[in-house]
Amino acid sequence: MTSDVSKSPKRTGRSRTATRVLAASLALTATTFGATGCDSAAAGTLEGSRLELPVTGGTAVVDTASLAVDARTEDGRRLVLSGPAGGGLGKPGPVTRTADGANWSYPAKGLKVTASSERGRLRIKLRADRDGSVSWPVTGTDRAASALQLPRGEGLDVPVRDRFWNASAEKGGLAGSTVDVSEGFSLPLWGYSMGAAGVSYLTPTDIGTSLRFASTGDRLRATAAHAFDAGEGTRDYEVSFALTDGNPVAPAADYRSYLSQRGQLGSLRKKIRKHPANGKLLGAFHAYVWGDARTASGVGKLKQLGVDRMWLGYDAGPDPMNAAAVRAAKKAGYLVGPYDTFANGQDPKTADSPTSAWPGRVYPDFCIRKADGTPETGFGNRGCYLSSRAFEKAEPRKHYLADRTRKMVANGADSYFLDVDATGEVFRDHGKGHEMTKAGDRAMRLARMRRLSENLVLGSESAQPWANQVLAYDHGSGTPTADGLWKLERDKKTWGGYFPAKAPGAFFKPVKLPAEVATAMYDPKYRVPLYETALHGSLVNAERWELSYEKLPAQKTTRALLAMLYNTPLNYVLDGPTLEKKGSELAALQKYFSPLHRAAGTEQLTSFRWLTPDRSVQRTVFGDGALTVTANFGTEAHDGLPGGCVDAKLRTDRQPRRLCPAQPNG
C-alpha cells in the first residue's frame, strides 16, 4: 500500500484538516518487508536505564526502570507511547544485550522482559513466573494525543476531548469502562493520533488482556492490563508498538501487515479458487428469510426484481427452506444456508430449538464446567454451553458434528452459518476428560470450522481475526455495538419477541434507538473502517442479523452509505409482505452494490480519509484504484455530491456511479 499524501492538500492540525492517508512508513505491502531495514541495527543502544531501539519512522526509547516508552520521530518530534506501568514494577534486574534487543527482569513481580526491534516495530514481551497482573501500556498521556482508535465492530475514531465519549458508559461514553480485548473488540489493537503522527498498539496475546478507559482532565486515556494465569495459559504478554502518520485506520493497516508477515492473513481469492461457490458472495446482499420469502416463489420474486446475487439464510425452526426452494435459489445464482450452532445443549425432551437437542448423553456430559463443577449456563439462561474439546475428542467415533451438518444441508444448501464459533466469547473448561483453556477452545473451534469450509461457504458471528483464514463471511463484525443496545434488545415490548413464528418481532419490528445508542453506533463522524482495513479481501463482513436494514429506520441512509463506502453488504430479514413492500428498494440498492463488490470484494482497502473538517464527507480506495467511493453524510453538497448520496467509480468508469439511498429508484 502506498501513501497518496502527494495528492492531498497541505496538512495543518488534525482538528482542521481531514485528509490524512495511510502511511507508506507502515510498510503495508507487508510481504516485501522482511528481516532487513531496521533489523540490521536492532540491538539498539543502552544508556543507564534508557534502551533505544530503531523502529520504522524513528527510534523507540524504553525506560527499563518503569516500562515507560517514548519515541523520537525522524523529523524530530518526541512522542509518549506509554507512561510508566501502573502500580510500579519494583527494582529492575540488570539489562542483558542480545542480537536483536535486550532482556531484563522485575524480580518483585516475577517478570522477565524482552524488548526488540522486529520488522520496524518495537516488540515487548513479558513472561511471568507466577500468577498476577500488570497495568501497561498506559496510553493517551501525550498532550499531543488528539484521537483514539478502537475496533468496536467496524471501528471508531474518538477525539480525546469529545464530550460524548468522555461521559460514562451509562450515558453512552467510555469513561470508567473496561473492555476485554479478546471478547469486546473485533481486532486485538487500539491506536492514538498525535497531530501528524500516531501510534499503533497490537496485543497478539489478547486472551487475559483488557483495556480500561478514563477521562483525565476531560481527555480519554486507555490503560491496558494483562492477567498472568498459569491455568489459563496466559503467563506471556506481548505488545507491539508502531509509529504511524496519524491516519485513523493506520493501526488496522499495521495489523494487516502483521498478519501477512506471519502467514495469518486469509485471502478470499484463494478461498474462491479452492471452493468456487465462495465467489457467489461477491455482489450479494444477505437476508434471513421467513414465511413465504423462504419458498421457491419467494426466491422467484427476488429474481424477478432483478436481484442477481443474494445470500439467503433461515433459522433452525421446524420449517426450513425445502429442497425446491434451495434449487430455485441456486438456479438464481444465490447462496443458501441454515443457521446452526454447536455451542448450546439442552435436555432433548424439552429443548426449545432443534439446534440444542443432541443425541445420547451429549447433554449433559459435554457441558462446559466451571471450576466449582457447575455447568456454564447456555443461551438465554437455557441449558449449557457445550465443550468444543468434548466434541473434537468424540468426533472420530461418534460423528455428532458431521451427522448434524449432513442433516442440515440435506436440502442441498451450499452455505452454513455457524453461530458463536468465531466470536470472542470462548471458555475455559474444567469438565473431567475435556479440560481446555480459552486458547484451546479457539483451536478446537478452528478445527471444526476448517472442516466445514472445505465444502460449504462458511460464515459465523462477529468473526475474530484468528478465524479469518477459515471463514468466507460473518454477520456481526460490522456492528459497533454499544452497551445500551443489549438493554434495548432485552425489552421485548419495545424490541419485539419471537412471535409470530413467520415474522418474529425481534427481527421485523422497526425500532428507534435511544439517542446515545444511535450516536455511539452510527454517528458517521466517529465511524472508521478499521475492520475492513485489516481484513477486507479476506472475508465478507456484514452487520448483525437482528439489526436488519429495515430494523432501524432512522439509520437507513447512514447505514447504506457506510455499506457502499466500506464495500460491505447490507443484511436483511425478509418475509412475504416485506418482500412485496421493500423488495424493489432492496433490488435497487443491490443493483448498485453488485458491480462494486464484484470488482473490489477481494481487494485491500488501501486509503481512507475525511474530505471535510466536520468529517461528513469521506472517501475510500480499494486496491490500486480498483474502486474509489465518496460518501456525503451531511446535508450540504460537496464538490457536486449532494448530501445523503454516494459516488463510486471503478477504474474502468469514465464517470462515477451515484446512489442516493433515500431515493434508491431515483
Side-chain angles (χ1 to χ4, degrees):
M1 183 185 297
T2 56
S3 171
D4 56 358
V5 171
S6 61
K7 302 175 186 176
S8 303
K10 181 179 179 182
R11 292 180 293 173
T12 55
R14 180 184 177 94
S15 61
R16 294 176 54 197
T17 190
T19 56
R20 303 231 187 279
V21 292
L22 301 189
S25 63
L26 280 173
L28 300 176
T29 49
T31 54
T32 65
F33 189 14
T36 57
C38 288
D39 287 351
S40 60
T45 61
L46 179 68
E47 294 184 9
S49 66
R50 289 171 55 84
L51 173 67
E52 298 190 359
L53 291 166
V55 294
T56 300
T59 301
V61 183
V62 182
D63 183 354
T64 60
S66 67
L67 276 185
V69 183
D70 291 351
R72 293 194 307 273
T73 64
E74 289 175 341
D75 59 3
R77 282 171 293 174
R78 177 183 174 274
L79 306 176
V80 179
L81 307 190
S82 173
L89 297 165
K91 184 178 179 181
V95 179
T96 302
R97 300 288 302 286
T98 66
D100 63 349
N103 301 322
W104 68 97
S105 65
Y106 299 106
K109 296 279 284 187
L111 294 175
K112 292 183 178 180
V113 185
T114 301
S116 60
S117 179
E118 183 180 276
R119 288 174 166 157
R121 300 181 189 88
L122 170 66
R123 184 185 189 191
I124 296 182
K125 296 189 290 184
L126 307 181
R127 170 165 286 184
D129 65 9
R130 68 196 72 162
D131 288 355
S133 65
V134 64
S135 294
W136 177 88
V138 180
T139 67
T141 62
D142 194 309
R143 297 300 298 175
S146 54
L148 166 65
Q149 292 88 40
L150 297 173
R152 181 191 275 184
E154 181 59 67
L156 299 172
D157 179 272
V158 177
V160 297
R161 290 188 178 275
D162 188 274
R163 182 175 297 177
F164 175 81
W165 293 104
N166 274 274
S168 66
E170 290 76 19
K171 297 180 179 179
L174 288 168
S177 65
T178 300
V179 176
D180 183 322
V181 173
S182 69
E183 290 189 16
F185 285 159
S186 58
L187 305 167
L189 60 85
W190 71 101
Y192 271 94
S193 297
M194 304 174 183
V199 58
S200 161
Y201 304 91
L202 307 183
T203 55
T205 50
D206 57 328
I207 294 176
T209 302
S210 59
L211 197 63
R212 181 169 179 79
F213 304 98
S215 179
T216 305
D218 296 323
R219 295 169 56 88
L220 279 173
R221 294 184 178 180
T223 299
H226 185 80
F228 301 105
D229 186 324
E232 278 289 5
T234 60
R235 286 279 186 87
D236 291 289
Y237 178 39
E238 177 183 335
V239 182
S240 285
F241 304 73
L243 299 181
T244 75
D245 68 347
N247 182 276
V249 297
D254 180 36
Y255 184 53
R256 184 185 183 96
S257 173
Y258 178 95
L259 290 175
S260 181
Q261 290 161 356
R262 284 156 179 77
Q264 297 170 2
L265 180 64
S267 164
L268 192 53
R269 283 194 186 98
K270 291 181 180 178
K271 293 169 187 174
I272 292 169
R273 286 199 296 269
K274 187 174 182 179
H275 184 37
N278 285 313
K280 292 196 285 185
L281 285 168
L282 298 176
F285 277 0
H286 295 225
Y288 283 89
V289 288
W290 305 74
D292 291 342
R294 67 172 57 170
T295 64
S297 61
V299 171
K301 176 68 173 177
L302 277 171
K303 191 66 176 177
Q304 291 164 17
L305 287 166
V307 176
D308 69 344
R309 291 278 176 96
M310 283 294 291
W311 179 93
L312 300 178
Y314 50 93
D315 71 317
D319 185 28
M321 286 186 80
N322 61 29
V326 169
R327 282 195 301 271
K330 292 168 78 170
K331 184 178 179 180
Y334 304 166
L335 288 165
V336 184
Y339 167 97
D340 196 7
T341 179
F342 299 160
N344 191 240
Q346 299 177 36
D347 185 335
K349 297 184 183 69
T350 57
D352 55 13
S353 169
T355 60
S356 299
W358 295 87
R361 289 189 54 84
V362 167
Y363 179 86
D365 289 359
F366 285 18
C367 288
I368 291 171
R369 299 283 169 176
K370 302 175 185 177
D372 63 4
T374 60
E376 189 73 51
T377 305
F379 298 176
N381 296 316
R382 302 185 305 276
C384 70
Y385 274 96
L386 297 174
S387 171
S388 60
R389 184 158 190 256
F391 272 124
E392 286 302 291
K393 288 184 68 175
E395 194 63 12
R397 295 176 293 104
K398 296 293 188 179
H399 316 301
Y400 293 125
L401 303 182
D403 289 348
R404 162 69 74 83
T405 303
R406 193 177 299 112
K407 179 180 178 181
M408 295 290 278
V409 300
N411 60 359
D414 53 1
S415 184
Y416 216 77
F417 180 81
L418 189 63
D419 200 11
V420 177
D421 259 36
T423 67
E425 187 181 35
V426 290
F427 294 97
R428 182 174 180 188
D429 186 3
H430 297 267
K432 188 175 182 180
H434 46 83
E435 297 89 347
M436 67 180 178
T437 62
K438 290 182 178 179
D441 194 8
R442 283 184 180 177
M444 299 298 109
R445 295 183 190 201
L446 273 174
R448 66 196 191 190
M449 286 192 287
R450 186 171 288 110
R451 293 194 299 270
L452 284 172
S453 70
E454 293 293 323
N455 300 299
L456 294 162
V457 177
L458 181 64
S460 188
E461 178 190 354
S462 303
Q464 292 287 314
W466 49 265
N468 89 88
Q469 292 178 288
V470 300
L471 294 179
Y473 68 94
D474 81 84
H475 294 161
S477 289
T479 304
T481 54
D483 289 346
L485 176 67
W486 310 128
K487 180 180 178 181
L488 184 62
E489 289 192 10
R490 288 192 295 269
D491 177 6
K492 298 305 180 186
K493 183 177 180 180
T494 301
W495 189 260
Y498 289 94
F499 296 95
K502 291 187 176 182
F507 305 120
F508 286 88
K509 182 183 179 182
V511 168
K512 181 179 180 181
L513 294 175
E516 67 276 9
V517 176
T519 297
M521 293 178 62
Y522 292 113
D523 191 326
K525 69 174 175 285
Y526 301 127
R527 292 288 300 265
V528 290
L530 295 179
Y531 195 88
E532 298 316 310
T533 299
L535 294 176
H536 196 275
S538 172
L539 50 75
V540 175
N541 178 32
E543 287 214 58
R544 297 180 60 86
W545 78 309
E546 82 272 23
L547 295 176
S548 71
Y549 184 56
E550 298 292 342
K551 181 73 176 178
L552 307 174
Q555 280 73 42
K556 282 182 63 174
T557 295
T558 293
R559 294 172 80 193
L561 294 179
L562 287 169
M564 303 308 159
L565 184 68
Y566 297 167
N567 198 232
T568 56
L570 292 172
N571 207 350
Y572 284 78
V573 292
L574 298 173
D575 65 346
T578 305
L579 195 52
E580 288 292 332
K581 185 178 180 181
K582 300 291 185 179
S584 59
E585 179 185 1
L586 181 159
L589 293 172
Q590 192 273 335
K591 182 179 180 180
Y592 182 84
F593 174 76
S594 185
L596 309 180
H597 197 234
R598 290 189 191 211
T602 58
E603 299 283 351
Q604 179 179 355
L605 192 159
T606 47
S607 176
F608 170 81
R609 52 179 171 157
W610 296 299
L611 301 186
T612 56
D614 66 359
R615 304 183 173 189
S616 64
V617 184
Q618 305 177 15
R619 176 171 291 165
T620 52
V621 179
F622 296 86
D624 187 16
L627 173 66
T628 300
V629 186
T630 307
N632 186 347
F633 296 95
T635 56
E636 302 293 326
H638 174 80
D639 199 20
L641 178 63
C645 298
V646 59
D647 274 352
K649 190 172 184 296
L650 296 173
R651 184 188 285 112
T652 53
D653 289 341
R654 290 190 175 184
Q655 296 294 328
R657 305 161 184 235
R658 179 161 296 174
L659 173 72
C660 300
Q663 300 90 31
N665 297 303

